[in-house]
């Protein structure tokens, strides 16, 4: 009888990809995925540690399983990913009925660890070395990349996929836990990446998004040759069957000429760049240890606009960072107004134990001030987004159809048409009425309405003869 697996994923695209790979490996061991924890023999949580809310959500979910574990002691409960690497044995202390703790560098060991737990070996924990525990190479070796197995059923659509091109981060921004839980920066060999992309294209995938904590830092040295992200994009561009290439998340100082020119000159590369700024204040950026100034960021944006005039740029901002004054916040507002990002992901500062900011700076901005600044900046960005979206009214765009919209999934249509959703080449969401057979296709759509987040369109139809003529009496 098949073993039943429930997996819940919290956090970024890296976590979504990790979950896909874990499921692919467990399917080979005879597992089938179920939709509810109550139906599962094995329950896994793939976790995030970037914000406190993400961790609270997991501990709350674990708490709800305490009674189920008592009634069904054979159930295996596991915590994977960044929170597992960060909290380690603390998870056992807070939820002693957890059977498995596995860091992001040990995900390939999960099938064997589950067998050990089922055989009665007791709770299992496998995590990587901490950043200060040994020499860099030894630490890097303890964070193993885990990428060859894919499972289209674990993706929202089989026509789009993430491909990891690097792991880890060496930036050590003072607010960020990622370098501690994801390990040192390491770029994957380009031949591996190209082979994986070819496999995905052979399975019908039409768009891949390259992932890295600072993806444009990608560099792979082999002997005397260095492969940069621009070189990798050129190789991937040649793969038959792939129609679109994206990459996230970029670091401002590494937005080089060769990369921008590759995005401009390679038709499959989406003119979409996600480049977090985090603040518009040099004082705050220095305390964050971001490694650039506001002037550097503005220069980078000017270069983007000059090289790729139609580029859609998105950003990240943290409001309420330690010591952020009203003047600091207004400098951020000014940067958002002048940059006119397609969208910005705005977060209130959340102190993370183990980061430098938690050790060096007091979290001294009141919660109500953080909330006000968050809402104010969000309103400004949404107004900019809506203005820019309205420029698409009456225009024809090409979209990759992803599938039914969230609204149509909640309220299925009775007729032959269904509300579908797709994305433009510059990553704008488009909703339209269509048919299931159009999922996975590239379609021309004319835009007739827009709001800050969504374009609304109609498929451009082509009339095929014979022509019908009106005959006068």
């Amino acid at each position: 009888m098949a073993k039943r697996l429930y997996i819940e994923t919290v956090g970024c695209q890296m976590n979504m990809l990790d979950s896909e790979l874990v499921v692919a490996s467990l399917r080979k061991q005879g597992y089938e995925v179920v939709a509810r924890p109550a139906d599962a023999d094995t329950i896994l949580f793939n976790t995030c540690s970037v914000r406190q809310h993400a961790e609270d959500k997991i501990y709350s979910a674990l708490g709800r399983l305490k009674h189920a574990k008592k009634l069904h002691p054979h159930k295996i409960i596991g915590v994977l990913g960044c929170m597992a690497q960060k909290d380690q044995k603390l998870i056992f202390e807070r939820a002693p009925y957890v059977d498995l703790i596995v860091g992001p560098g040990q995900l390939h060991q999960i099938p064997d660890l589950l067998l050990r737990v089922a055989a009665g070996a007791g709770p299992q924990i496998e995590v990587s070395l901490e950043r200060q525990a040994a020499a860099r190479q030894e630490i890097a070796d303890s964070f193993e990349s885990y990428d060859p197995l894919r499972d289209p059923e674990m993706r929202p659509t089989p026509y789009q996929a993430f491909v990891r091109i690097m792991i880890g981060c060496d930036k050590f921004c003072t607010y960020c836990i990622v370098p501690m839980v994801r390990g040192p920066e390491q770029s994957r060999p380009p031949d591996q990446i190209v082979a994986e992309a070819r496999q995905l294209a052979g399975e019908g995938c039409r768009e891949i998004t390259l992932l890295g904590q600072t993806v444009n830092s990608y560099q792979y040295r082999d002997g005397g040759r260095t492969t940069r992200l621009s070189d990798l994009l050129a190789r991937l561009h040649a793969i038959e069957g792939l129609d679109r290439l994206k990459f996230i998340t970029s670091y401002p100082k590494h937005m080089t000429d060769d990369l921008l020119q590759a995005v401009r000159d390679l038709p499959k590369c989406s003119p979409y760049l996600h480049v977090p700024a985090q603040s518009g204040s040099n004082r705050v950026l220095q305390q964050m240890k971001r490694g650039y100034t506001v002037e550097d960021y503005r220069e980078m944006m000017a270069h983007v606009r000059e090289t790729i005039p139609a580029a859609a740029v998105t950003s990240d901002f943290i409001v309420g960072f330690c010591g952020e004054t009203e003047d600091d916040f207004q400098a951020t507002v000014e940067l958002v107004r002048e940059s006119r990002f397609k969208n910005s992901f705005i977060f209130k500062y959340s102190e993370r134990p183990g980061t430098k900011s938690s050790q060096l700076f007091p979290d001294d901005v009141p919660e109500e001030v953080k909330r006000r600044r968050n809402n104010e900046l969000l309103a400004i960005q949404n107004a900019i987004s809506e203005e820019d979206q309205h420029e698409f009214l009456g225009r024809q765009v090409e979209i990759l159809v992803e599938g039914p919209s969230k609204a149509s999934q909640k309220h299925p249509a009775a007729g032959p048409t269904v509300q579908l959703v797709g994305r433009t080449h510059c990553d704008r969401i488009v909703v339209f009425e269509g048919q299931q057979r159009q999922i996975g296709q590239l379609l021309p759509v004319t835009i007739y309405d827009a709001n800050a987040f969504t374009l609304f369109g109609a498929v451009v139809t082509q009339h095929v003869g014979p022509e019908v003529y009106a005959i006068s009496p």
Side-chain angles (χ1 to χ4, degrees):
M1 193 168 98
K3 293 166 279 191
R4 294 163 299 175
L5 168 70
Y6 171 82
I7 186 165
E8 184 171 322
T9 306
V10 176
C12 67
Q13 294 92 344
M14 282 281 193
N15 283 17
M16 294 170 64
L17 176 55
D18 284 339
S19 290
E20 179 188 335
L21 303 174
V22 167
V23 169
S25 66
L26 291 179
R27 280 193 196 273
K28 292 187 72 175
Q29 306 300 316
Y31 283 80
E32 66 177 31
V33 178
V34 296
R36 301 188 312 151
D39 299 329
D41 307 306
T42 299
I43 302 169
L44 302 178
F45 295 97
N46 193 6
T47 62
C48 174
S49 281
V50 172
R51 285 175 292 281
Q52 186 64 44
H53 175 71
E55 292 189 0
D56 292 343
K57 181 177 180 179
I58 296 300
Y59 278 118
S60 181
L62 291 173
R64 291 193 296 271
L65 290 174
K66 182 178 181 180
H67 182 64
K69 180 70 170 180
K70 187 175 289 187
L71 289 177
H72 307 283
H74 68 280
K75 282 184 184 283
I76 297 176
I77 300 173
V79 178
L80 321 177
C82 295
M83 194 177 97
Q85 179 66 37
K86 172 179 158 289
D87 286 0
Q88 302 187 13
K89 292 181 180 179
L90 176 62
I91 297 169
F92 286 143
E93 295 173 16
R94 293 187 60 172
Y97 42 89
V98 166
D99 302 289
L100 191 66
I101 295 173
V102 186
Q106 286 69 41
L107 298 179
H108 61 288
Q109 298 183 36
I110 287 175
D112 290 338
L113 294 171
L114 289 174
L115 288 174
R116 284 188 221 166
V117 173
Q124 302 289 309
I125 180 169
E126 288 290 342
V127 292
S128 298
L129 294 172
E130 296 184 7
R131 287 299 295 254
Q132 306 302 321
R136 177 191 164 87
Q137 190 56 53
E138 189 177 349
I139 296 167
D141 290 344
S142 76
F143 285 87
E144 294 187 44
S145 182
Y146 177 50
D147 292 281
L149 293 172
R150 305 304 303 244
D151 191 329
E153 290 185 33
M154 280 304 295
R155 300 197 290 269
T157 162
Y159 307 104
Q160 297 166 299
F162 296 125
V163 173
R164 188 185 349 250
I165 67 170
M166 58 192 301
I167 63 172
C169 183
D170 289 339
K171 297 294 182 285
F172 289 100
C173 301
T174 58
Y175 57 83
C176 187
I177 196 70
V178 168
M180 276 63 80
V181 296
R182 288 278 179 179
E185 185 177 291
Q186 303 177 70
S187 295
R188 289 179 68 201
D191 288 348
Q192 284 186 15
I193 298 166
V194 172
E196 187 175 348
R198 281 206 182 97
Q199 176 193 334
L200 289 165
E203 294 170 355
C205 183
R206 305 191 69 170
E207 174 186 285
I208 62 172
T209 299
L210 309 179
L211 297 184
Q213 303 301 149
T214 54
V215 69
N216 57 341
S217 306
Y218 176 86
Q219 277 196 343
Y220 186 82
R221 294 181 176 87
D222 184 13
R225 181 180 178 184
T226 298
T227 301
R228 305 163 298 177
L229 179 55
S230 57
D231 304 316
L232 181 62
L233 288 170
R235 290 187 61 180
L236 294 171
H237 191 274
I239 296 176
E240 188 174 345
L242 285 181
D243 295 292
R244 290 183 177 179
L245 298 169
K246 298 177 181 175
F247 54 90
I248 52 175
T249 295
S250 293
Y251 181 66
K253 289 289 280 185
H254 296 165
M255 196 59 73
T256 54
D257 288 348
D258 61 286
L259 179 55
L260 290 176
Q261 290 161 9
V263 175
R264 179 194 65 195
D265 298 338
L266 298 173
K268 292 182 183 179
C269 285
S270 292
Y272 162 66
L273 303 170
H274 182 61
V275 198
Q278 303 300 8
S279 176
S281 161
N282 279 335
R283 191 186 67 81
V284 173
L285 288 173
Q286 186 174 15
Q287 283 202 165
M288 289 178 167
K289 199 180 171 235
R290 284 293 288 170
Y292 55 83
T293 64
V294 180
E295 291 74 25
D296 292 332
Y297 193 91
R298 287 190 169 109
E299 183 179 348
M300 181 273 301
M301 284 293 294
H303 202 185
V304 168
R305 301 298 186 202
E306 179 184 345
T307 309
I308 318 166
V313 182
T314 60
S315 194
D316 290 352
F317 288 93
I318 296 173
V319 298
F321 186 70
C322 311
E324 184 188 63
T325 66
E326 200 60 37
D327 286 344
D328 293 327
F329 174 67
Q330 289 305 318
T332 298
V333 168
E334 182 181 347
L335 181 62
V336 170
R337 287 191 190 280
E338 71 179 60
S339 299
R340 298 194 68 83
F341 299 110
K342 178 180 85 74
N343 185 32
S344 291
F345 300 92
I346 300 164
F347 307 98
K348 296 179 294 181
Y349 173 65
S350 174
E351 185 176 81
R352 312 307 297 126
T355 60
K356 285 294 182 182
S357 63
S358 69
Q359 301 166 20
L360 297 174
F361 313 121
D363 183 9
D364 55 358
V365 179
E367 180 63 24
E368 60 270 20
V369 175
K370 290 181 183 179
R371 190 180 306 113
R372 173 183 61 78
R373 290 175 183 172
N374 184 91
N375 292 340
E376 182 179 335
L377 194 61
L378 190 60
I380 291 166
Q381 176 60 67
N382 287 348
I384 292 169
S385 297
E386 186 158 6
E387 288 174 13
D388 288 354
Q389 292 272 84
H390 276 86
E391 293 181 8
F392 284 80
L393 293 177
R395 287 172 52 182
Q396 181 176 309
V397 297
E398 184 181 69
I399 65 168
L400 175 60
V401 185
E402 298 177 351
S405 68
K406 291 180 180 179
S408 67
Q409 290 174 21
K410 291 180 181 177
H411 307 287
T417 62
V418 62
Q419 189 181 71
L420 298 174
V421 65
R423 288 181 189 262
T424 67
H425 205 19
C426 59
D427 204 57
R428 296 179 189 273
I429 297 170
V430 180
V431 168
F432 69 102
E433 292 293 322
Q435 298 181 357
Q436 293 279 355
R437 61 180 171 78
Q438 294 170 320
I439 297 172
Q441 294 185 24
L442 290 167
L443 290 180
V445 172
T446 298
I447 305 303
Y448 64 81
D449 199 3
N451 61 31
F453 313 105
T454 309
L455 300 173
F456 300 88
V459 175
V460 177
T461 57
Q462 294 181 341
H463 297 281
V464 180
E467 299 292 339
V468 177
Y469 297 93
I471 300 176
S472 301

